[in-house]
Amino acid sequence: MDILTLVGLVAGVLIVVLAMLANASFLTFLNLPGLAIVLGGTFAVTLIKFRMASVMSAFRLAMSAAFTDRMARPAELIREVGALAMLVRKEGILGLENHQTDNEFLQKAINLCVDGHPPELVEEALAQETQQAAERYEVAERVFRGIGESAPAIGMLGTLVGLVQMLNTLDDPSSIGPAMAIALLTTLYGAFIAQLIALPLADKLQLKAEDEARNQMLIITSIKNIMRGENPRVMTELLSSFVTPEQRTGLAPEREA
């Protein structure tokens, strides 16, 4: 679980709720028709912008990527591929046949190598996988940014509808205040959805996409060097650019006995 995403979401919602309850009851901020306008209108606009399959895929990816922390650390990957390079140096490329890893992309790269495919084909297959993953993240990010753009605008439309209804009842001054409050609630709902949910998730998806692309590039570079028979220590030095200087200690594989 990516605890920071959950903590940030809960903290943001809690702060807003506590502010609501400071001088009024929660029911004061509850208006079901206004909420229906914002949610229904935002969903309708999202379906106009994107295909249903893209919307569903975006929500699945947000749940699996933004709320989980399954991404391998670059330093861990460098150590693992360094050990693989040492194994290949001793036993040849078939020495990888029984190696199992939790990283699906690295496992695919190992399987392609063991199957005896030429380096050009292996690199092309991995590059296509990287491109497809990047496109999935990009579509998901665009969906949530679209929601973040649409929700406040739909909220404003709901406010305008409420103001028109309020102006039609000006003959009753006592109803103006409550009617104005209800009209403004749709703007509140739209801003809440955009600023506390949609846009932060879009930013988190962008960050996770960058992290995954970096890890996949590291693996592709590693596999190319392993298939060329590069010295494991030299390969590790090349890969050290993927981590900060503070993380480079202990990356190099131990020298052969």
Side-chain angles (χ1 to χ4, degrees):
M1 162 102 34
D2 189 342
I3 192 65
L4 291 182
T5 302
L6 185 61
V7 168
L9 182 60
V10 172
V13 173
L14 187 61
I15 289 171
V16 174
V17 171
L18 290 177
M20 291 177 177
L21 298 179
N23 296 307
S25 69
F26 184 75
L27 293 178
T28 303
F29 294 89
L30 182 62
N31 180 250
L32 294 181
L35 186 60
I37 289 174
V38 175
L39 292 178
T42 301
F43 184 68
V45 171
T46 302
L47 291 183
I48 294 172
K49 290 183 176 181
F50 305 96
R51 293 178 300 173
M52 187 63 182
S54 298
V55 175
M56 299 304 297
S57 176
F59 276 90
R60 285 195 298 268
L61 187 57
M63 294 301 104
S64 64
F67 289 96
T68 59
D69 193 17
R70 298 179 301 177
M71 201 78 67
R73 302 294 185 268
E76 298 172 358
L77 279 177
I78 292 175
R79 293 188 184 95
E80 183 172 5
V81 296
L84 293 180
M86 293 290 291
L87 181 62
V88 170
R89 194 174 178 85
K90 294 177 181 178
E91 303 179 14
I93 200 70
L94 291 180
L96 301 176
E97 189 171 11
N98 296 323
H99 182 83
Q100 298 294 322
T101 177
D102 294 332
N103 190 297
E104 295 181 2
F105 191 78
L106 179 57
Q107 188 64 57
K108 178 177 181 177
I110 291 173
N111 293 339
L112 289 171
C113 293
V114 171
D115 288 342
H117 297 296
E120 296 80 8
L121 180 63
V122 173
E123 183 178 358
E124 181 180 356
L126 295 178
Q128 289 179 355
E129 181 77 15
T130 299
Q131 181 180 355
Q132 293 302 315
E135 289 179 358
R136 286 192 293 271
Y137 273 105
E138 181 183 2
V139 171
E141 180 192 345
R142 286 170 54 198
V143 167
F144 279 98
R145 290 206 187 278
I147 293 174
E149 294 170 358
S150 302
I154 298 299
M156 184 58 68
L157 286 177
T159 296
L160 294 175
V161 171
L163 289 176
V164 170
Q165 293 175 343
M166 182 194 70
L167 292 174
N168 284 329
T169 60
L170 286 179
D171 54 337
D172 184 8
S174 63
S175 67
I176 295 178
M180 175 67 79
I182 292 174
L184 292 177
L185 283 178
T186 55
T187 298
L188 172 64
Y189 296 151
F192 183 91
I193 293 171
Q195 299 300 325
L196 284 178
I197 301 176
L199 294 179
L201 285 178
D203 290 336
K204 181 56 71 77
L205 285 170
Q206 181 183 14
L207 179 63
K208 289 297 180 74
E210 292 170 356
D211 289 344
E212 184 164 327
R214 178 200 58 212
N215 284 354
Q216 291 178 343
M217 182 57 65
L218 187 156
I219 291 172
I220 292 175
T221 303
S222 304
I223 292 300
K224 287 165 59 179
N225 282 279
I226 289 174
M227 297 187 76
R228 286 203 304 259
E230 189 68 72
N231 184 291
R233 297 185 67 84
V234 173
M235 184 188 76
T236 301
E237 285 296 324
L238 293 174
L239 297 176
S240 64
S241 61
F242 285 90
V243 297
T244 63
E246 294 79 12
Q247 297 173 326
R248 294 174 186 176
T249 304
L251 290 182
E254 297 181 0
R255 295 182 182 275
E256 299 175 64

